[in-house]
Amino acid sequence: MQELLSEVIVPTASYISRIIVPMLEGTVVTLKLFFITIILSIPLGVLVALARISKYRLLSNAVGVYIWLLRGTPLLLQVFFVYYGLPNFGIVLDSFPAACIAFVLNYAAYLAEIFRAGIQSIDKGQYEGAKVLGFTYWQTMWRIILPQTVRRVLPPVSNEAITLVKDTALVYAIGLGELLRATKIAVSRDAVTSPFVVAAVFYLAMTFLLTKLFDKLEKRFAIY
Amino acid sequence: MYMIEARNIHKSFDNLHVLKGISLMVEEGEVIAIIGPSGSGKSTLLRCLIHLEVIDRGDIIIQGQPFAYEAEDGKSHYVDDKKIREICKKLGMVFQNFNLFPHKTVLENIIEAPIVVNKMDRKEAIDIAEDLLKRVGLEDKRDNYPSQLSGGQKQRVAIARALAMKPDIMLFDEPTSSLDPELTGEVLKVMRDLAEDRMTMLVVTHEMGFAREVADRVIFMDGGEIIEEGCPNDIFRNPSNVRTRSFLEQVL
């Protein structure tokens, strides 16, 4: 009896060896979604932030509506919309690209607000210092303001990255075989809950590595 | 040809009329000290000359090139952005708060504008920067970050950074006001050297000693107007206006 109970919660080595391959395959999907989202949403977020603070009202307002929509509705709803809703407009996507599009658009909106706050926290003397040296607006942004913004936004961006690791589990809902789905399949098939523990360890390992990476980045940018 | 011709400049911030018809002619090699109580518009005047503020009325001509002119509608109009940048390149500016780029080393602060704005070769820019650092006595700080410098050192780097663009006119906006008293001397010395090299300089300052010894002309401003101007001897020994006299009594 005792043996059976522990088997349900704490996985044995032999059981782990049976489920490890599908769970690793799920992790690959999770990581793919994570990296695609990070790599595309950061530059998009910078552009959206710059558009948001643009002096052109129309652009700034349009981007404001975009941020409101993407931050104001659930990410899962956005995933559903891209996957199930867009076919109504003649755009049919596989589940993985659909998930990527929803994630990139959603995360770019959040990151844009972080970047905007970072950009606006830079002293206006920096703009003036650059201007009297003859810098154009874009030269000022690119060479003077954005590099200083990086250091300030690292902690909140680290937060977003950790949230993203866990948000990837949402795509389970459109049938993508990521880590949580692989876990749930094992749980249902074998009538044990121990795969959840394995999955938790996987997620913790990923967020641990991310935290370490951001610590390193923060230290590297702390030289001035 | 005048280095700067400013005619009848007006500038308001919302309802606050900060400059009430300032006219100023600056000749080549002239060192002008602008003094006056805070809020008198001295800094705003400098900022207007280098396009950090936009004037409402009047004309500004830099080295014979108009960059703001009053049209028939009674408002000042500016030439296009590219032309403004071209004209403003002739002006260098030093701020009260230095405005050094904190993420760049001393050397990088100085070479940044020559490389990015003037497309200068990096090696040439470094040569120029090293000469300038020697001139302001900071050659050993070239690889430090601004946060590792004292206020006086920061301001000397800021002066070197402005000089790297080879300006014909230097504007100083209270360059020693945020420094500890014992550090003002090193900055004033650099400015003195610059004046001896016949740089055209406009200096907004509270350093009356500097104004008296270095300036060719002293301008006293109050309430957005030039109240009195003249050579330092006349202004300091024998001010004709009562407001000048009472200001000098307070600061001397």
Side-chain angles (χ1 to χ4, degrees), chain B residues 36-52:
Chain B
S38 56
S40 58
K42 330 180 278 294
S43 290
T44 305
L45 172 60
L46 277 201
R47 292 170 59 81
C48 286
L49 294 177
I50 198 163
H51 196 239
L52 287 175

Side-chain angles (χ1 to χ4, degrees), chain A residues 55 123-137 139 143-145 147-148 223-224, chain B residues 47 50-52 85 91 93 95 99-104 112-113 116-117 119 145 147 161-162 165:
Chain A
K55 59 182 181 206
D123 180 55
K124 85 177 197 325
Q126 292 291 304
Y127 292 88
E128 294 187 346
K131 184 173 177 183
V132 300
L133 289 167
F135 284 71
T136 63
Y137 174 80
Q139 286 167 341
R143 311 277 315 185
I144 308 301
I145 305 300
Q148 293 183 58
I223 46 168
Y224 64 84
Chain B
R47 292 170 59 81
I50 198 163
H51 196 239
L52 287 175
R85 250 199 316 280
L91 301 158
M93 176 132 178
F95 299 87
N99 292 340
L100 292 177
F101 306 134
H103 61 304
K104 294 189 175 293
E112 182 75 5
V116 173
V117 177
K119 316 288 177 219
Y145 284 91
S147 59
R161 182 176 75 169
M165 292 299 280

Side-chain angles (χ1 to χ4, degrees), chain B:
Chain B
M1 185 182 67
Y2 287 107
M3 297 300 270
I4 300 175
E5 274 181 81
R7 285 199 217 97
N8 193 32
I9 294 181
H10 286 262
K11 170 71 186 168
S12 296
F13 294 107
D14 297 321
N15 291 324
L16 192 65
H17 202 169
V18 182
L19 297 179
K20 299 172 184 164
I22 300 278
S23 295
L24 175 67
M25 305 286 167
V26 183
E27 289 189 51
E28 187 168 356
E30 209 180 359
V31 177
I32 298 179
I34 305 174
I35 61 171
S38 56
S40 58
K42 330 180 278 294
S43 290
T44 305
L45 172 60
L46 277 201
R47 292 170 59 81
C48 286
L49 294 177
I50 198 163
H51 196 239
L52 287 175
E53 306 290 352
V54 174
I55 60 173
D56 303 326
R57 283 175 56 198
D59 308 308
I60 299 176
I61 300 161
I62 307 288
Q63 294 180 312
Q65 303 196 72
F67 96 107
Y69 54 91
E70 189 171 312
E72 281 173 8
D73 58 4
K75 288 185 183 133
S76 289
H77 294 263
Y78 279 81
V79 296
D80 65 80
D81 281 357
K82 208 174 153 208
K83 188 89 183 136
I84 289 176
R85 250 199 316 280
E86 211 51 52
I87 294 170
C88 285
K89 259 195 218 169
K90 299 290 175 195
L91 301 158
M93 176 132 178
V94 172
F95 299 87
Q96 181 177 347
N97 296 322
F98 328 121
N99 292 340
L100 292 177
F101 306 134
H103 61 304
K104 294 189 175 293
T105 64
V106 165
L107 186 80
E108 288 167 346
N109 261 279
I110 300 172
I111 64 174
E112 182 75 5
I115 291 174
V116 173
V117 177
N118 284 350
K119 316 288 177 219
M120 188 187 278
D121 176 66
R122 189 180 166 88
K123 222 176 146 280
E124 193 187 344
I126 290 176
D127 286 345
I128 291 172
E130 283 176 338
D131 279 349
L132 285 167
L133 280 175
K134 220 170 272 167
R135 208 161 137 191
V136 300
L138 290 172
E139 59 267 50
D140 56 327
K141 300 289 183 193
R142 57 167 269 171
D143 296 319
N144 286 80
Y145 284 91
S147 59
Q148 298 164 319
L149 305 180
S150 72
Q153 291 170 335
K154 281 182 201 169
Q155 197 58 298
R156 285 186 281 157
V157 172
I159 293 171
R161 182 176 75 169
L163 292 176
M165 292 299 280
K166 302 201 187 316
D168 294 329
I169 306 157
M170 283 286 283
L171 309 178
F172 293 85
D173 187 6
E174 303 198 22
T176 57
S177 294
S178 62
L179 301 181
D180 291 334
E182 74 269 24
L183 299 178
T184 58
E186 60 192 66
V187 173
L188 293 176
K189 180 183 176 302
V190 169
M191 292 168 62
R192 251 191 199 107
D193 293 346
L194 215 49
E196 267 162 31
D197 292 345
R198 304 302 297 152
M199 173 66 81
T200 307
M201 294 163 66
L202 254 67
V203 186
V204 169
T205 187
H206 295 294
E207 293 287 335
M208 295 304 147
F210 179 84
R212 194 198 305 241
E213 289 157 35
V214 183
D216 301 307
R217 178 154 50 122
V218 175
I219 292 176
F220 173 70
M221 280 180 72
D222 193 11
E225 292 169 309
I226 293 178
I227 304 296
E228 188 168 355
E229 59 182 302
C231 70
N233 264 338
D234 292 348
I235 297 282
F236 285 105
R237 289 212 189 121
N238 195 13
S240 58
N241 190 288
V242 62
R243 274 147 91 185
T244 318
R245 208 171 304 146
S246 79
F247 172 76
L248 288 174
E249 273 166 15
Q250 277 168 28
V251 295
L252 289 179

Side-chain angles (χ1 to χ4, degrees), chain A residues 145-161:
Chain A
I145 305 300
L146 290 177
Q148 293 183 58
T149 306
V150 173
R151 182 168 106 169
R152 299 194 189 188
V153 301
L154 274 176
V157 168
S158 158
N159 249 342
E160 288 300 311

